[in-house]
Amino acid sequence: MSHESPSPQAVTIPQLRGWVAEGRKLVMTTAYDSVTALLAEAAGVDIILVGDSVGNVCLGFDNTLPVTMAMMNHHLEAVARTKPKAMLMGDMPYLSYHLSIEDSIRNAGDFIRRGAAAVKLEGGAKRLPVVRALVDAEIPVMGHIGLTPQSFHAMGGFKVQGRDSEHAIQILEDALRLQDAGCFSVLLEGIPSELARKVTESLAVPTIGIGAGPHCSGQVLVIHDVLGLLPGKSPKFVRRYADGFELLAAALRHYSEDVRAGAFPGEAESYSLPNATTRAIQHWQSEQPDQE
Ligand code: KIV
């Protein structure tokens, strides 16, 4: 296990609180390896989430359910090694906080030992005991309610949540109870923007939205979505800030053409032999017996 201590100037929870109090929106993206972490850091995001979306985005699964703690730790370590100034958060994968309190603390503690400053977990009222236990163990927790991808089967797919009054009120209540249990922030995914506004206005802690409209205290997107790194159509809530896939595929096509045309590598990308070595080789060749 690699134990990275966070960057000494890393963003803290009191800083996040202060920024929200000043009216500054919080910016969060995912990262899964050192390249995506360095990109997020170069852009100055406030929070880097090593999301369990690594399952669909990087590992080729259809959803996040197959993602394990071992996979998450592997990716979190890679991100932590870049020592980001952003707050580093580990996303608790399916079954890492469902079995027992002891198991949950051990798993969340594994993220902290690897350099995370906080963890995120999905679910409302039923998660209160585990949230309290993690907070008691000095592990800051971000709650995650609304569309919770680990409840994929129970929700019957990835569907916007909280449209009817019963579920909308349940989301409001869950948010308040997560705050009372000690969550320093609550992520709202896939809910109508009016409901996200009500939740944000009801809470003293910041909300982070994804597919939850503009009224949250901050926003999160999967970094591959922001950069357009995945082929195909993006969901409605995504804004692509680059067509990364097409841009990078075009660069690779150019590379392939150059290799096939003998245009790469050229002089600029090649190493030269010192004259003395060239002479030594010529001498050696001249002394080789003629071969019939
Ligand atoms: O895993 C993930 O990417 C998430 C999103 C809400 C950003 O949890």
Side-chain angles (χ1 to χ4, degrees), residues 28-30 32 49-54 64 91 120 122 144 149 187 189 210 220-222:
M28 174 164 156
T29 67
T30 61
Y32 312 103
L49 171 73
V50 181
D52 65 349
S53 51
V54 68
T64 55
D91 203 8
K120 174 173 86 56
E122 297 183 10
H144 178 166
L187 189 147
E189 176 164 1
I210 176 165
V220 59
L221 279 178
V222 164

Side-chain angles (χ1 to χ4, degrees), residues 59-264:
L59 303 178
F61 295 123
D62 290 337
N63 55 53
T64 55
L65 297 177
V67 176
T68 62
M69 271 305 293
M71 294 174 193
M72 290 301 298
N73 281 332
H74 177 72
H75 288 273
L76 190 120
E77 284 176 9
V79 172
R81 282 187 206 110
T82 68
K83 294 212 175 294
K85 191 172 165 303
M87 171 185 283
L88 178 56
M89 185 180 293
D91 203 8
M92 304 283 295
Y94 178 57
L95 288 190
S96 69
Y97 54 99
H98 307 71
L99 304 181
S100 71
I101 294 285
E102 199 184 316
D103 195 43
S104 312
I105 297 176
R106 191 175 305 107
N107 287 329
D110 278 351
F111 281 165
I112 302 295
R113 289 218 169 107
R114 286 172 165 83
V119 303
K120 174 173 86 56
L121 55 83
E122 297 183 10
K126 59 186 165 200
R127 302 290 171 234
L128 300 179
V130 73
V131 169
R132 286 194 200 101
L134 295 181
V135 173
D136 275 357
E138 315 303 343
I139 300 175
V141 182
M142 177 180 280
H144 178 166
I145 52 175
L147 192 169
T148 46
Q150 290 171 19
S151 325
F152 174 77
H153 294 301
M155 289 183 314
F158 298 118
K159 294 183 179 148
V160 173
Q161 302 292 301
R163 280 202 157 120
D164 61 84
S165 48
E166 186 197 339
H167 287 112
I169 290 167
Q170 194 189 323
I171 286 171
L172 265 161
E173 281 181 355
D174 279 347
L176 285 163
R177 294 176 78 179
L178 285 169
Q179 167 178 268
D180 291 348
C183 283
F184 75 95
S185 172
V186 178
L187 189 147
L188 305 172
E189 176 164 1
I191 63 171
S193 56
E194 301 89 331
L195 177 58
R197 175 181 224 154
K198 287 264 178 269
V199 174
T200 304
E201 286 168 359
S202 309
L203 294 187
V205 299
T207 57
I208 302 288
I210 176 165
H215 307 297
C216 299
S217 323
Q219 292 292 326
V220 59
L221 279 178
V222 164
I223 193 161
H224 288 58
D225 286 340
V226 178
L227 301 177
L229 289 177
L230 301 170
K233 208 170 167 297
S234 301
K236 174 180 166 68
F237 62 85
V238 167
R239 188 179 295 173
R240 286 186 184 209
Y241 286 85
D243 192 355
F245 188 85
E246 200 28 63
L247 192 80
L248 299 178
L252 279 169
R253 276 195 295 273
H254 196 169
Y255 161 71
S256 308
E257 282 160 17
D258 278 0
V259 171
R260 287 181 187 128
F264 175 83

